[in-house]
Amino acid sequence: GAEPALRVSEWVQLPPRADARLNELSASAIDQYERCPLAYKLNRDWRIPEEAAAYLQYGNAMHLAMKAYFDGVRAGRPPNEEAVIACFLDEFSKAKIEEDLQRRLYERDGREQIIRLLRSELGRLSGEIMQTEHKFRIEAGQAKVRGRIDRMDRIAGNEVLIVDYKTGKPKTQDDVDKSLQLSIYALAAMQSGLIPVSLVFVN
């Protein structure tokens, strides 16, 4: 007999669940919707779980190491390079990565990138660290927009520098100029009475 026709299109057209909270957005959610509305629906409406990709787990471990370092700087006790690397390796050891070679390559890259950053001008501050991994929630129209700013430094008075770390493909100045993510961070800072005078991607 003939197989029943798939009704995927009807399934996809179902209205959002009442508890989907689709009015709570983030820069990554907006980016996902622009790239693939179906992926957005699966992730945000149906909440189908998926394992974090290796590069995301790597990025999370690097962000935690940067937070540990700059929190130490803020407290007047900056950890040395080996302590920051140990923080990264400890967090990255929790990542679910099946390929040993891939894990070793990420660990090597993490060590090299941490050392390069801490020895560079970007590892030195031009102001006072106000916050690291700061979570925020603002309103934009009828939507609530949330996010997390990697680092915010006070330059002078209410003027701040906003820093976002990137561990993937290096971003260009054009990427910075067009970044929805940095624009949202700037808006969050302004709604807190601050003046974002510089928005920076650290590759």
Side-chain angles (χ1 to χ4, degrees):
E3 292 185 11
L6 295 177
R7 300 172 64 185
V8 175
S9 61
E10 292 178 32
W11 189 39
V12 171
Q13 297 297 328
L14 288 172
R17 299 181 330 173
D19 63 344
R21 296 184 301 178
L22 296 182
N23 65 334
E24 288 190 12
L25 300 172
S26 64
S28 59
I30 295 168
D31 180 60
Q32 183 180 48
Y33 182 83
E34 287 181 339
R35 282 185 286 111
C36 180
L38 178 57
Y40 175 88
K41 186 171 183 70
L42 294 173
N43 178 262
R44 304 278 300 179
D45 181 7
W46 296 343
R47 296 186 198 158
I48 294 177
E50 60 180 336
E51 199 168 281
Y55 74 91
L56 290 175
Q57 297 179 80
Y58 170 73
N60 287 338
M62 288 291 282
H63 275 73
L64 190 76
M66 290 300 95
K67 175 176 171 50
Y69 175 72
F70 285 108
D71 281 349
V73 170
R74 183 180 182 190
R77 299 185 301 276
N80 61 31
E81 290 174 1
E82 288 308 312
V84 180
I85 291 168
C87 177
F88 159 72
L89 291 174
D90 179 62
E91 183 65 20
F92 192 60
S93 70
K94 303 169 190 172
K96 295 179 181 178
I97 298 174
E98 295 179 8
E99 294 250 349
D100 287 339
L101 175 61
Q102 186 181 34
R103 179 178 290 280
R104 288 197 303 272
L105 290 173
Y106 272 125
E107 289 173 350
R108 181 202 67 192
D109 287 351
R111 283 189 184 94
E112 291 175 357
Q113 290 179 25
I114 287 169
I115 290 170
R116 197 177 316 127
L117 174 64
L118 298 187
R119 293 180 184 178
S120 74
E121 286 297 319
L122 296 171
R124 299 180 190 89
L125 300 176
S126 56
E128 163 205 353
I129 300 171
M130 292 176 63
Q131 300 163 333
T132 58
E133 297 294 323
H134 171 67
K135 293 181 180 178
F136 66 84
R137 185 175 299 225
I138 59 174
E139 292 193 7
Q142 296 182 16
K144 295 178 178 66
V145 182
R146 57 183 170 77
R148 185 171 57 199
I149 298 172
D150 292 343
R151 199 178 88 224
M152 189 184 306
D153 299 349
R154 186 186 308 279
I155 303 302
N158 285 343
E159 295 184 344
V160 296
L161 164 102
I162 294 174
V163 177
D164 191 70
Y165 307 118
K166 294 297 181 191
T167 54
K169 181 182 175 184
K171 301 294 184 183
T172 65
Q173 183 62 49
D174 190 50
D175 293 324
V176 174
D177 294 340
K178 296 177 179 175
S179 172
L180 172 66
Q181 183 181 25
L182 289 178
S183 298
I184 289 172
Y185 292 175
L187 187 61
M190 287 188 289
Q191 288 195 11
S192 297
L194 300 170
I195 304 167
V197 295
S198 187
L199 307 171
V200 180
F201 278 142
V202 173
N203 293 313

